Amino acid sequence: MNQSQASIQSPIPSGKKFDAIVVGSGISGGWSAKELCEKGLNVLLLERGRMVEHVKDYHTATLNPWDFPHHNQAMPLELLKRYPVQNRTGFSITEATHQYFVNDLENPYVEEKPFDWIRGYQVGGKSLMWGRYSFRFSDLDFEANAKEGIATDWPIRYKDIAPWYDYVEKFAGIAGSRDGLPHLPDGQFQPAMPDNCVEAHFRQAVNNGFPDRKVISARAAHLTAPTQEQMNLGRAKCQYRNLCMRGCPYGAYFSTQSATLPAARRTKRLTVRPHSIVNSIIYDEKTGRATGVRVIDEQTHQWHEFKANIIFLNASALGSTYILMNSTSKQFPNGMDDSGQLGRNLMDHHFHVGATADYDHDLDKYYYGRHPAGLYIPRFRNLAGQEKQAFKRGYGFEVYTNRENWDHAYHEEGFGADFKEKATQFGTWKITLDAFGECMPYEDNRVYLTDELKDKWGQPVLKMDVHYRDNETLMRKDAHDQAVQMLEKSGFSNIKGFDSQAHPGLSIHEMGTARMGTSAKNSVFNKFNQHHVVKNVFCTDGAAMTSSPCQNPSLTYMALSARAADYAVKALKRGDL
């Protein structure tokens, strides 16, 4: 038995003390554990779900469609009943991927207004099935609240986090191009994935026809030229399978399993405890510090306590806020917060608005494999020097292309020579422009604890009271019209605009509810993601976000986690924690 297996399988006595506890093992939790371990701390990583070991537990990663009982096209109804919320995505619950999503019947919540809470409870969290688009924020984003007098000011600026973006990009591996856009800063990139013929046409047409915008290669956490450090962790170049949500046995995309967990394990300072539902933080009234966490064993329902000098909350935006709300005491009767902002300002990107079209040319051309990343149109509204729109902030477009029947020839009926011939014929090229728009931080977009329902372990659940407002509605109208206009001017046919009116949560980019800010009066955490009052508690996941720039946020979680861990260890060594 190797050390990593022993650290998982050996029982951990209740009350045991570690240097640090990290709650949650997804993108931010993996980074927090890695950084704290590499800086010399003994770390307990707590995950509420099951263990998923890299490669050996990706049971569907290499299966063909015909290897599944229903060819990965249908789910047994009895199994599907477990996922009434998770299935709202329309793509997540399949024979190949359902095991990475939560059982909604065991993990309920209350929707005051519709909110699609998509979750993954296992070691690795949603890092196993995330979209992998990785963009930096800029001072356009960090300064927006202050300039517009909205919500509260971010306590950091781009210069504070830029070195940490460099740091995490080099380790994680981000494929992209240097595009020279001040509002979407360049990073430390591996080579971008090549365009297919439709992407090349669209890129050239829009860049030539719309001076105010630029089509770029999506910046995605996929290895295209692995470094020696990445290969030493067992990672390899992307194979262009685009089966990422099943788990990548090549370690080609960034996940906890492929990258941060192996790095933390090699220090021999990491202990992983799956099946550990963190209920609350233990607070010492005399010292004003946290001493540990209370844990419910997912399988036995027994309660445990584990102690540490530092606690990092990385349980997801709503997961970390849930723990803070449950952490009541004489000092904090309403949860661990003095600002009144805990549970407020919940944001999620609004999306599923744009246009689709056909491309009737280059029908004799094909491309290699299945690209897991396409093109991106960065925000082009309300930038410096531009005419102001009827809405604040902006949106970007993710651009996807495909060839009809390219991936789906095996769905055709038939057999023999005619079937084989049909399987080699491909139809029209397709293109989709899907906008991701910024949601403003509204104080009354919030979550509460409620006893209206209890989860499987007898705990109260969250109640969601969140909706989009006029600003998002106006932005969506513009995104729809601009998508249609770009496709028309670029020579596409059969253009169809769409707006699915997706509810908050469905973009799976929950942010806010325990925001960073400049003081304990306006926020829960400070510029180092440190609790304003309880100084040895940190939070570096989506809960700490002060606003929700239209870019995908995961790269920022990585950078904030590395930065906060560096600060925490130095503070601990100084005796400040």
Side-chain angles (χ1 to χ4, degrees):
M1 180 183 296
N2 63 36
Q3 190 273 342
S4 66
Q5 291 173 321
S7 68
I8 295 164
Q9 295 173 2
S10 298
I12 306 168
S14 189
K16 183 173 181 178
K17 186 171 183 178
F18 295 81
D19 297 323
I21 289 174
V22 176
V23 182
S25 61
I27 284 174
S28 64
W31 266 102
S32 296
K34 167 190 176 294
E35 294 299 306
L36 294 169
C37 284
E38 290 181 342
K39 288 174 169 56
L41 303 192
N42 290 311
V43 176
L44 174 62
L45 179 60
L46 296 171
E47 168 55 51
R48 66 177 293 151
R50 66 192 174 96
M51 186 65 205
V52 174
E53 287 285 5
H54 187 44
V55 184
K56 80 171 188 177
D57 287 336
Y58 304 153
H59 301 299
T60 65
T62 58
L63 296 184
N64 296 301
W66 49 87
D67 295 324
F68 295 95
H70 303 90
H71 289 198
N72 204 32
Q73 294 302 300
M75 284 280 290
L77 291 179
E78 285 302 311
L79 187 59
L80 196 60
K81 288 179 181 178
R82 302 177 189 174
Y83 306 106
V85 175
Q86 307 309 300
N87 199 36
R88 292 178 190 175
T89 64
F91 64 84
S92 58
I93 305 304
T94 70
E95 289 183 291
T97 60
H98 68 90
Q99 64 272 19
Y100 297 124
F101 293 84
V102 302
N103 182 330
D104 291 312
L105 305 184
E106 296 179 351
N107 298 276
Y109 62 101
V110 178
E111 297 176 81
E112 179 76 14
K113 297 183 180 72
F115 186 92
D116 302 328
W117 193 9
I118 311 303
R119 294 169 282 172
Y121 291 163
Q122 62 265 325
V123 171
K126 288 181 289 188
S127 79
L128 287 172
M129 66 279 200
W130 67 305
R132 305 169 302 283
Y133 278 25
S134 302
F135 302 110
R136 295 187 179 202
F137 296 173
S138 74
D139 276 335
L140 177 72
D141 309 307
F142 291 120
E143 295 174 355
N145 281 1
K147 287 183 175 180
E148 297 171 1
I150 290 174
T152 196
D153 188 13
W154 278 87
I156 60 173
R157 294 294 184 262
Y158 180 68
K159 63 181 176 58
D160 298 311
I161 195 173
W164 296 99
Y165 277 136
D166 286 345
Y167 177 75
V168 300
E169 285 167 342
K170 290 176 183 176
F171 178 84
I174 310 298
S177 299
R178 300 184 67 83
D179 302 297
L181 299 172
H183 57 287
L184 191 72
D186 291 326
Q188 305 296 319
F189 298 138
Q190 296 188 7
M193 295 186 176
D195 291 352
N196 62 38
C197 58
V198 184
E199 291 168 337
H201 168 79
F202 180 75
R203 184 197 294 257
Q204 182 179 36
V206 172
N207 289 349
N208 290 340
F210 295 85
D212 64 339
R213 62 203 71 174
K214 184 174 184 178
V215 180
I216 68 172
S217 298
R219 299 171 183 176
H222 287 266
L223 300 185
T224 55
T227 65
Q228 189 61 53
E229 179 185 31
Q230 289 157 349
M231 290 189 288
N232 288 345
L233 290 170
R235 303 183 65 193
K237 184 177 179 180
C238 179
Q239 302 296 300
Y240 287 23
R241 301 164 69 240
N242 198 24
L243 300 176
C244 311
M245 284 183 62
R246 303 184 186 185
C248 181
Y250 306 96
Y253 74 75
F254 173 85
S255 68
T256 297
Q257 269 79 356
S258 68
T260 49
L261 192 57
R265 280 175 168 170
R266 66 186 176 188
T267 69
K268 302 188 185 302
R269 299 188 187 98
L270 179 70
T271 300
V272 180
R273 192 182 196 277
H275 303 295
S276 301
I277 302 171
V278 176
N279 169 270
S280 54
I281 297 170
I282 303 168
Y283 176 70
D284 188 328
E285 301 276 358
K286 294 180 180 179
T287 64
R289 295 292 186 266
T291 60
V293 297
R294 300 180 187 89
V295 171
I296 305 172
D297 189 287
E298 183 200 24
Q299 297 175 309
T300 67
H301 293 227
Q302 292 181 326
W303 285 73
H304 302 273
E305 292 184 1
F306 300 109
K307 300 184 182 302
N309 297 319
I310 299 174
I311 296 169
F312 266 67
L313 292 178
N314 297 110
S316 80
L318 296 175
S320 292
T321 290
Y322 179 90
I323 293 167
L324 289 166
M325 286 179 166
N326 260 337
S327 302
T328 57
S329 62
K330 184 178 178 180
Q331 170 73 23
F332 303 109
N334 300 312
M336 194 172 281
D337 169 50
D338 270 355
S339 69
Q341 294 299 318
L342 183 63
R344 296 185 178 273
N345 313 294
L346 177 56
M347 301 164 284
D348 180 43
H349 289 138
H350 58 98
F351 77 141
H352 282 350
V353 58
T356 63
D358 295 344
Y359 183 63
D360 301 322
H361 308 283
D362 295 324
L363 297 181
D364 60 336
K365 294 181 180 179
Y366 302 89
Y367 57 94
Y368 171 76
R370 307 181 189 97
H371 292 197
L375 300 177
Y376 185 69
I377 306 174
R379 174 178 162 181
F380 55 88
R381 290 306 203 202
N382 294 320
L383 303 179
Q386 288 185 340
E387 177 185 352
K388 296 300 180 183
Q389 302 296 312
F391 54 88
K392 297 182 184 296
R393 315 289 171 96
Y395 55 88
F397 283 105
E398 294 186 7
V399 181
Y400 319 113
T401 62
N402 68 288
R403 188 82 183 269
E404 281 187 327
N405 296 340
W406 184 256
D407 294 327
H408 306 294
Y410 52 80
H411 299 162
E412 297 288 337
E413 296 182 358
F415 58 91
D418 290 343
F419 171 74
K420 293 179 181 178
E421 178 65 22
K422 187 189 300 183
T424 66
Q425 304 303 310
F426 305 108
T428 305
W429 289 102
K430 300 286 187 178
I431 187 169
T432 300
L433 277 61
D434 196 351
F436 282 68
E438 179 166 352
C439 175
M440 304 296 280
Y442 303 109
E443 190 172 75
D444 57 346
N445 266 359
R446 61 182 305 187
V447 297
Y448 311 80
L449 280 182
T450 180
D451 287 319
E452 293 176 38
L453 289 176
K454 295 289 182 71
D455 67 13
K456 181 180 177 180
W457 301 271
Q459 299 181 109
V461 302
L462 287 177
K463 186 173 186 175
M464 317 298 192
D465 187 0
V466 187
H467 66 285
Y468 295 130
R469 316 296 171 90
D470 289 345
N471 197 71
E472 289 76 43
T473 299
L474 290 168
M475 192 185 297
R476 294 179 74 82
K477 174 65 166 60
D478 189 67
H480 172 279
D481 294 347
Q482 291 302 309
V484 170
Q485 187 180 60
M486 281 187 283
L487 291 171
E488 287 176 343
K489 197 167 183 177
S490 301
F492 287 82
S493 64
N494 193 26
I495 298 168
K496 297 177 181 178
F498 63 87
D499 184 349
S500 71
Q501 299 294 321
H503 295 128
L506 196 62
S507 183
I508 325 180
H509 292 164
E510 310 99 274
M511 292 170 272
T513 65
R515 70 187 182 191
M516 300 167 67
T518 54
S519 78
K521 294 180 179 180
N522 61 34
S523 54
V524 183
F525 293 94
N526 70 12
K527 64 181 180 181
F528 289 108
N529 297 82
Q530 178 186 34
H531 198 281
H532 279 298
V533 183
V534 188
K535 299 294 186 180
N536 62 337
V537 173
F538 295 78
C539 179
T540 59
D541 59 23
M545 298 289 280
T546 312
S547 64
S548 70
C550 66
Q551 302 93 298
N552 304 50
S554 296
L555 184 71
T556 299
Y557 302 161
M558 299 184 205
L560 289 175
S561 297
R563 180 174 179 266
D566 181 71
Y567 173 84
V569 172
K570 289 176 179 176
L572 183 66
K573 290 179 178 178
R574 290 194 306 266
D576 293 344
L577 298 182

